[in-house]
Amino acid sequence: MELQSMKTDRRRRRPALSCVSCRKSKIRCDRNLPCSACVRSQHKTCVFEPSSRQSAIQPTEPQSSDNTELPRSPGANESVYVHHGDGPHEDHSAISLTGSTPVDSTSQGHGPSYDVKSLLERIRELEHRLEESTGQHLVSNITRASTSGPDPITTCPSYLSGNLHAMSKSVMSKTRYLGQSHWMNQVQNFSSVLDIFEQVCRDQKSELIALINKCKVLARTIKAQRWPVLSFKFGSNIPPREVADLLIDAYFRTTESIFRILHIPSFRKDYENFWLSPDLVDVSFLIQLQLVMAIGSTIYDEYFSMRKSATQWVYEAQCWLISPNQKSRLTLSGLQVMLLVCLAQEAVAVGQDLVWMSVGQLMRTAIFMGLHRDPKKLPKMTQLRSELRRRIWNTILEIALQTSVDAGGPPLIAFEDFDTCAPANCDDDELTEDDAPATSNPPEKFTDMSVALALRTSFAARLAIARALNEISTQHTYDNIIKLHRHLSTAYKLLSQTLQRFTFTERQPTAFQRRLVDFLVRRYFLALHLPYFRPAMSEPTYAFSRKTVVETSAKLYTTVFSFAALNPRLVRPSANDLGLMPISQDDLARFATCGSGFFRSIVSQAAIATGFELQNQLKEDDSLGPPTPRVDLFNIFRDSISWVYRRIQAGDTNLKGLLFASALLAQIEGSMNGLQDQKFIDATIKAGVEAIREGFELLKLQVGPSPEENATKNDTQLSFDPMMTIDGDWEYDSSMQNVLFDFTSVNSAFGPTAGPEMMMADFTQW
């Protein structure tokens, strides 16, 4: 009897390696999951008891160690391995969440139901695998946020800029977090200028600070005079037909030719109807008309004489967008207005630093309306409507990418989030109200969409750079930076070849289109390599980045002002030279001079990078004779100061960029002339004071016939009376701590990032 009991115990300890079904049928099991027998018999489930898998690797006798898990009964939440079959008609009605109903009849009579519990266990296992495959990035971020230590933060206290916090791939100034593509990350490159003026600002009787504050008060007065009195009667400030025609033509030949938003024949038709019956036109078209004129007014003349009207048109559009009954604006016309507002804000300088936030709302509105889905996957619509949706979505992606680089923020664009196809390569006149799909012309034929489609070919490469610079989860080595550079170089060459195909065709890109596309793409090379520009001055490993930044900066500036590098200036530029400067009729140059946003910021960034390179070239010059800078770079930097004067004459109220550039030029010229120590410092301060004094005189011309009265009135409200008297005693006021370098605004100094390498195809000259 005892022997029989021992045999029984041994049989029970023997692991069952076959599946439940094979054991019940008493057939050989190959122990796969599912096994071949279950596959042949088309069982819905192939179930193994826990001991069949675990006993093979676990000891049969429980161990005394505390870390060993004791064997558990399958009924006590034991794991059961199960595979769901692929039968054509699976019956899910037999599955019970309580585990009381078996799935397979073969398990009936076996005490507790292994199958239901095994199904639940299998579900948990699959959920875990799915989480690992799709949520790994999120989990890693959460884990890193909870386990990793804080990033090192360098705080730079200053009377001029306040506390500037430098972190990994970003800086934070006041309430703004600015990513790596933002120009603020490069401010530390010019510590030689900042340190000098830091000492000047500590002087309680500083003439420079008094001048700065006077200019600041005048700037506030000028901006206040531009603010319109909103009556909510849209269209009350439309210019005469002759002027309106010029403004609309200016918009269509420039901005609309790159960023496709409107259907030009439809707009022209509504425009004619407006002049026939102004009171009967739809309000949405009236807002579109004003925004088109606002953008066109930027290049209407050299001095932006219509700035006040353009500002009013932008404000009216913003009021229309936030007025009640917003659902009524969930139309293509409403999206077109939102896009035009973003472009007009940058062109006219109405909240141009905050456009990135507006673009975020624009993108979510477009997704809410389904523009992220291709029209062929939506209910049937006309050919014109389908193509307009594709064009608007394509422009939204481009504007979102551009503004993210300007703002130093992540682009928040993923290719997995949309499936909208590229717009068809066709002219506006070819789009009809038919239901048939639009016929796309061959790529060799130049159409109204050719330039926008060519720019689209480089989108993926540019998006990768924006992500690498501004997304906090990306950590790139210098080798990865070189890979990104190569990818963008390849895309740039493809873009160049695409546009060069039209050189000998009947229609071809205009000079403005070629130069602007070149301008927009090259900025990403500059943005990619600027973080390594300063280290490259002492580390040869980054020499390629230094070369790319310098050559790209020179190319960017000369793309806008083509003769700058070849036009030597024998004397330092000043406001007195404005009358001798030729008035430019070039659209791109006028956008850079009168406009704002990326037009101004890219040129500014390129100019400042050029100045910094000149300064370091002179420091590195170890020849016996006087140090000599690179002539073309020196001409470009001098010309950039003349450009800043022209901007102030055209209505720009910011003088900090003028002060900064003038002081840097003085240091470059001081190094060329052998100035040292105190003479070097005195020359820097003198140049800054003279530049601000001349800028103040230009601001006075903008205020009107009695600027002193307006300035004094405004100054009294702001409690800045002592600042208006240059010769009097000036007490330092801590409330004016950030008056010199207010880094929370892109207007505060020279702008953001920019573009590509020089050893590649250049399609701006053909």
Side-chain angles (χ1 to χ4, degrees):
M1 187 70 178
E2 293 179 357
L3 181 61
Q4 184 179 2
S5 175
M6 292 176 61
K7 291 181 178 179
T8 303
D9 292 340
R10 283 197 294 271
R11 282 198 300 270
R12 287 176 181 173
R13 288 195 296 269
R14 183 178 177 182
L17 302 180
S18 301
C19 69
V20 174
S21 178
C22 290
R23 289 205 331 271
K24 296 283 290 184
S25 303
K26 296 183 178 181
I27 60 177
R28 185 178 181 84
C29 180
D30 61 6
R31 304 172 188 174
N32 291 326
L33 186 63
C35 69
S36 59
C38 289
V39 172
R40 287 194 304 270
S41 59
Q42 296 184 353
H43 278 293
K44 297 178 183 177
T45 57
C46 181
V47 182
F48 289 84
E49 290 185 13
S51 59
S52 65
R53 289 295 173 107
Q54 296 176 359
S55 300
I57 60 175
Q58 292 181 352
T60 57
E61 295 292 336
Q63 303 295 318
S64 59
S65 171
D66 295 337
N67 296 329
T68 303
E69 185 177 352
L70 296 176
R72 293 177 296 177
S73 169
N77 298 326
E78 187 62 74
S79 299
V80 178
Y81 295 86
V82 58
H83 176 81
H84 293 265
D86 298 324
H89 303 287
E90 294 184 345
D91 184 10
H92 298 283
S93 61
I95 299 177
S96 171
L97 296 178
T98 62
S100 60
T101 304
V103 176
D104 196 331
S105 60
T106 60
S107 62
Q108 294 181 3
H110 258 278
S113 172
Y114 300 125
D115 292 8
V116 173
K117 295 179 180 179
S118 64
L119 286 173
L120 295 176
E121 182 65 26
R122 181 64 173 171
I123 291 173
R124 285 193 290 268
E125 180 184 353
L126 292 174
E127 288 177 345
H128 179 66
R129 293 181 181 178
L130 181 64
E131 181 183 0
E132 287 182 344
S133 61
T134 62
Q136 184 176 4
H137 179 69
L138 177 61
V139 172
S140 63
N141 282 347
I142 296 174
T143 304
R144 182 171 62 250
S146 60
T147 60
S148 61
D151 291 337
I153 300 176
T154 302
T155 301
C156 305
S158 172
Y159 279 103
L160 305 178
S161 62
N163 290 336
L164 181 65
H165 307 283
M167 297 163 285
S168 174
K169 300 178 63 176
S170 62
V171 295
M172 191 162 187
S173 178
K174 295 185 178 178
T175 62
R176 299 195 184 187
Y177 182 90
L178 308 172
Q180 201 168 9
S181 69
H182 196 274
W183 62 269
M184 259 289 288
N185 288 267
Q186 306 305 319
V187 169
Q188 59 179 343
N189 290 345
F190 309 99
S191 57
S192 61
V193 174
L194 293 175
D195 291 344
I196 291 176
F197 286 106
E198 179 74 13
Q199 298 298 323
V200 173
C201 292
R202 295 176 184 273
D203 184 1
Q204 296 185 355
K205 298 182 179 181
S206 170
E207 176 186 4
L208 176 63
I209 292 301
L211 276 172
I212 286 287
N213 292 324
K214 289 187 66 176
C215 293
K216 201 171 185 67
V217 171
L218 275 181
R220 289 172 177 163
T221 302
I222 294 168
K223 291 179 180 179
Q225 291 177 348
R226 294 173 183 165
W227 293 341
V229 179
L230 297 178
S231 61
F232 291 97
K233 184 179 180 181
F234 303 118
S236 60
N237 191 29
I238 302 295
R241 174 73 185 262
E242 298 77 15
V243 177
D245 288 346
L246 293 175
L247 300 180
I248 291 173
D249 291 340
Y251 168 79
F252 282 134
R253 75 171 181 263
T254 56
T255 305
E256 181 66 31
S257 67
I258 305 293
F259 307 109
R260 294 310 316 271
I261 300 173
L262 303 172
H263 183 240
I264 299 177
S266 300
F267 185 91
R268 293 284 190 186
K269 181 180 178 180
D270 293 338
Y271 180 66
E272 294 297 331
N273 293 334
F274 167 77
W275 289 108
L276 293 175
S277 302
D279 297 332
L280 300 180
V281 73
D282 187 73
V283 177
S284 62
F285 170 76
L286 187 59
I287 299 299
Q288 288 182 14
L289 173 61
Q290 293 188 153
L291 290 171
V292 166
M293 292 191 299
I295 298 172
S297 66
T298 309
I299 56 175
Y300 176 68
D301 55 27
E302 183 75 7
Y303 308 108
F304 202 173
S305 59
M306 300 190 68
R307 184 187 289 270
K308 186 172 182 180
S309 296
T311 303
Q312 177 176 343
W313 294 331
V314 176
Y315 278 129
E316 287 188 9
Q318 291 175 328
C319 290
W320 182 75
L321 287 174
I322 65 173
S323 59
N325 195 17
Q326 295 187 20
K327 288 185 179 180
S328 64
R329 290 182 289 281
L330 293 178
T331 61
L332 289 183
S333 296
L335 281 177
Q336 289 169 329
V337 169
M338 295 179 72
L339 264 172
L340 290 170
V341 165
C342 293
L343 294 177
Q345 282 183 262
E346 289 202 321
V348 185
V350 179
Q352 69 276 13
D353 298 335
L354 308 178
V355 175
W356 182 56
M357 295 190 296
S358 302
V359 172
Q361 180 185 3
L362 166 64
M363 177 168 284
R364 283 157 183 78
T365 304
I367 293 175
F368 191 71
M369 294 175 58
L371 268 74
H372 65 304
R373 303 305 308 273
D374 193 77
K376 64 185 178 184
K377 300 181 181 179
L378 299 175
K380 197 171 185 180
M381 60 187 70
T382 65
Q383 178 187 116
L384 174 61
R385 188 173 184 85
S386 297
E387 282 306 307
L388 272 180
R389 291 172 69 92
R390 292 190 179 105
R391 291 183 178 187
I392 291 174
W393 179 254
N394 185 70
T395 303
I396 289 175
L397 293 178
E398 186 63 40
I399 298 299
L401 179 58
Q402 296 284 359
T403 54
S404 72
V405 176
D406 290 337
L412 304 179
I413 299 173
F415 291 110
E416 298 81 9
D417 294 339
F418 64 92
D419 57 13
T420 306
C421 298
N425 184 35
C426 59
D427 292 320
D428 288 16
D429 294 334
E430 299 180 60
L431 299 178
T432 65
E433 295 290 347
D434 298 336
D435 294 337
T439 302
S440 185
N441 295 298
E444 295 77 16
K445 182 179 179 180
F446 186 82
T447 67
D448 297 337
M449 281 298 302
S450 293
V451 177
L453 291 174
L455 182 61
R456 180 187 173 97
T457 60
S458 66
F459 183 83
R462 291 182 286 129
L463 177 61
I465 290 177
R467 285 176 170 172
L469 291 173
N470 295 329
E471 288 186 352
I472 61 174
S473 60
T474 56
Q475 299 293 334
H476 286 285
T477 63
Y478 193 64
D479 289 339
N480 290 330
I481 297 299
I482 299 301
K483 290 180 181 178
L484 290 172
H485 177 98
R486 290 172 180 168
H487 292 161
L488 185 57
S489 298
T490 302
Y492 180 85
K493 292 175 182 177
L494 176 61
L495 171 60
S496 174
Q497 294 168 1
T498 301
L499 293 182
Q500 284 178 351
R501 286 202 302 257
F502 308 117
T503 304
F504 303 106
T505 58
E506 183 179 355
R507 288 182 61 190
Q508 55 184 284
T510 64
F512 176 86
Q513 290 174 322
R514 294 195 303 266
R515 293 162 61 203
L516 182 57
V517 168
D518 188 49
F519 190 70
L520 293 175
V521 177
R522 283 186 184 273
R523 74 172 305 189
Y524 289 88
F525 284 94
L526 187 58
L528 181 64
H529 289 279
L530 265 177
Y532 299 92
F533 187 38
R534 182 182 179 88
M537 301 301 173
S538 56
E539 180 54 59
T541 305
Y542 306 128
F544 178 71
S545 289
R546 179 177 181 179
K547 177 179 177 59
T548 301
V549 168
V550 173
E551 300 302 330
T552 300
S553 298
K555 183 60 181 177
L556 283 169
Y557 193 89
T558 54
T559 297
V560 180
F561 304 106
S562 55
F563 298 104
L566 306 175
N567 184 23
R569 295 183 177 275
L570 301 179
V571 295
R572 183 180 301 166
S574 68
N576 297 327
D577 300 333
L578 289 176
L580 304 176
M581 297 178 186
I583 297 177
S584 175
Q585 303 294 330
D586 180 73
D587 289 334
L588 186 57
R590 284 191 176 181
F591 267 123
T593 301
C594 302
S596 186
F598 67 86
F599 289 107
R600 172 186 183 270
S601 61
I602 297 175
V603 176
S604 302
Q605 190 76 41
I608 286 298
T610 301
F612 183 52
E613 172 64 17
L614 287 170
Q615 189 180 51
N616 282 273
Q617 283 183 6
L618 295 174
K619 291 180 180 178
E620 295 169 354
D621 192 334
D622 55 359
S623 60
L624 297 178
T628 55
R630 190 170 136 181
V631 177
D632 59 334
L633 299 182
F634 190 59
N635 291 339
I636 287 173
F637 190 62
R638 274 191 162 182
D639 187 84
S640 69
I641 297 179
S642 300
W643 167 68
V644 175
Y645 277 117
R646 291 195 299 269
R647 283 192 54 83
I648 298 173
Q649 188 182 37
D652 191 3
T653 59
N654 185 280
L655 301 186
K656 302 182 188 74
L658 176 63
L659 166 67
F660 193 61
S662 299
L664 184 57
L665 178 60
Q667 289 191 345
I668 294 172
E669 293 177 339
S671 298
M672 294 170 59
N673 297 327
L675 298 182
Q676 295 180 354
D677 301 332
Q678 190 60 42
K679 291 183 178 180
F680 184 84
I681 296 175
D682 292 342
T684 303
I685 296 174
K686 180 181 178 181
V689 172
E690 290 178 353
I692 292 299
R693 190 183 296 276
E694 292 177 347
F696 177 70
E697 296 300 323
L698 291 176
L699 287 181
K700 287 169 63 176
L701 298 177
Q702 296 186 43
V703 176
S706 56
E708 294 297 333
E709 179 181 352
N710 293 332
T712 303
K713 179 180 178 181
N714 201 320
D715 183 52
T716 302
Q717 297 172 352
L718 298 173
S719 301
F720 292 154
D721 284 316
M723 303 176 187
M724 303 303 294
T725 306
I726 297 179
D727 297 329
D729 291 340
W730 182 73
E731 303 255 349
Y732 181 78
D733 185 356
S734 61
S735 66
M736 295 302 296
Q737 171 177 322
N738 301 326
V739 71
L740 186 54
F741 293 102
D742 180 7
F743 291 137
T744 62
S745 171
V746 81
N747 283 335
S748 306
F750 290 112
T753 54
E757 132 184 82
M758 303 303 299
M759 295 78 75
M760 57 182 67
D762 179 8
F763 57 90
T764 63
Q765 302 300 328
W766 34 267

